[in-house]
Amino acid sequence: MWFDAVLVIAGALAGFIAAVTGFGIGSLLTPVFALQVDTRLAVAAVSVPHLIGTALRFWLMRGGVDRRILWSFGLTSGTGGLAGAMLYGVASSRWLTILFGVLLLLAAASEISGLARRMRFRGWVAWVAGALSGMLGGLVGNQGGIRSAALIGFDLRKELFVGTATAIALFVDGARVPVYLYTQHEEMRAILWWIALAMAGVILGTVIGSRALGRIPDVWFRRVLALMLAILGVAMLLRAR
């Protein structure tokens, strides 16, 4: 029973943070599931509430998407997510985890220092950035932090940032979730109750968080974003020890 309660609370917190920053469901819920199941199954299980929460967040925002970024960065992210999901058994690699942690810390530092606002992704660079972020996300399941680190270079206002990140996440989820369901359907069926509890929490947190986004000034949004990237980066480095 204690784990049921933890799942609902963690799901609500993850949904709230994702509604405000554009990511966080996989980053927070995957370690919680990993308390009871192996990491590989945790990644697959969390992909379902992640998809539901992302779809709900997109519907609640009703617009606020940069279509130019969506059709360049987003399409290649979806393709990369499919490739990463097919290789996601590699996610336990220590060096891969260290690489992700370092990349997220660099993204946080670039935002705090102001470098991120001077960077711009254009042309083929945007396509490559999208493919890499999607593939890395498909590998470890925590796609949002990596994607947001790449999106920082586009210097979007907060509503467009979250909306565009959410739309791209739907591309990635649409590519990777069927792979997880096909390869782990029996294992996921055995923990269906836990998946449903996490989903309920995510839905609740998403609804509350979506209402809070409009009240956060842009400058504070970017600071919260940088803080979340830094926390996630440190957590990944600690996990790799």
Side-chain angles (χ1 to χ4, degrees):
M1 289 298 294
W2 70 268
F3 188 66
D4 292 358
V6 168
L7 275 178
V8 174
I9 295 170
L13 180 61
F16 180 88
I17 292 174
V20 172
T21 65
F23 70 97
I25 295 177
S27 304
L28 291 177
L29 273 180
T30 303
V32 174
F33 267 89
L35 293 173
Q36 295 291 328
V37 301
D38 65 81
T39 302
R40 181 178 171 83
L41 178 55
V43 170
V46 171
S47 70
V48 178
H50 189 285
L51 172 61
I52 298 301
T54 302
L56 175 61
R57 186 165 72 248
F58 184 74
W59 180 77
L60 290 172
M61 296 195 72
R62 294 176 181 168
V65 174
D66 188 306
R67 297 179 184 275
R68 176 182 58 85
I69 296 175
L70 179 64
W71 294 114
S72 57
F73 190 99
L75 283 178
T76 52
S77 289
T79 303
L82 175 61
M86 296 180 72
L87 298 171
Y88 87 111
V90 183
S92 61
S93 168
R94 177 173 179 267
W95 290 107
L96 189 62
T97 304
I98 291 174
L99 173 61
F100 293 162
V102 171
L103 288 175
L104 292 175
L105 286 175
L106 287 175
S110 68
E111 173 58 33
I112 293 171
S113 66
L115 176 62
R117 287 182 287 279
R118 296 192 292 272
M119 292 190 303
R120 294 294 183 273
F121 291 154
R122 296 188 178 91
W124 65 270
V125 178
W127 292 81
V128 171
L132 287 176
S133 66
M135 183 177 68
L136 296 178
L139 278 170
V140 297
N142 298 333
Q143 54 169 303
I146 299 165
R147 180 181 60 249
S148 295
L151 282 176
I152 282 177
F154 291 100
D155 194 27
L156 300 170
R157 59 183 174 82
K158 68 176 188 295
E159 289 84 3
L160 270 181
F161 185 101
V162 175
T164 304
T166 299
I168 293 172
L170 284 175
F171 282 2
V172 178
D173 279 347
R176 71 190 182 107
V177 170
V179 177
Y180 298 156
L181 292 175
Y182 177 77
T183 58
Q184 302 246 58
H185 60 277
E186 291 295 337
E187 294 90 339
M188 292 174 69
R189 185 181 302 170
I191 59 170
L192 191 59
W193 172 244
W194 287 347
I195 294 174
L197 288 175
M199 194 183 307
V202 166
I203 290 173
L204 175 63
T206 299
V207 172
I208 297 173
S210 296
R211 296 179 178 178
L213 178 62
R215 303 173 186 175
I216 302 175
D218 279 1
V219 62
W220 281 103
F221 168 78
R222 300 190 74 93
R223 291 174 182 174
V224 170
L225 181 64
L227 178 62
M228 283 297 299
L229 290 173
I231 292 173
L232 182 55
V234 170
M236 296 192 78
L237 290 177
L238 291 174
R239 182 181 176 185
R241 292 179 59 186

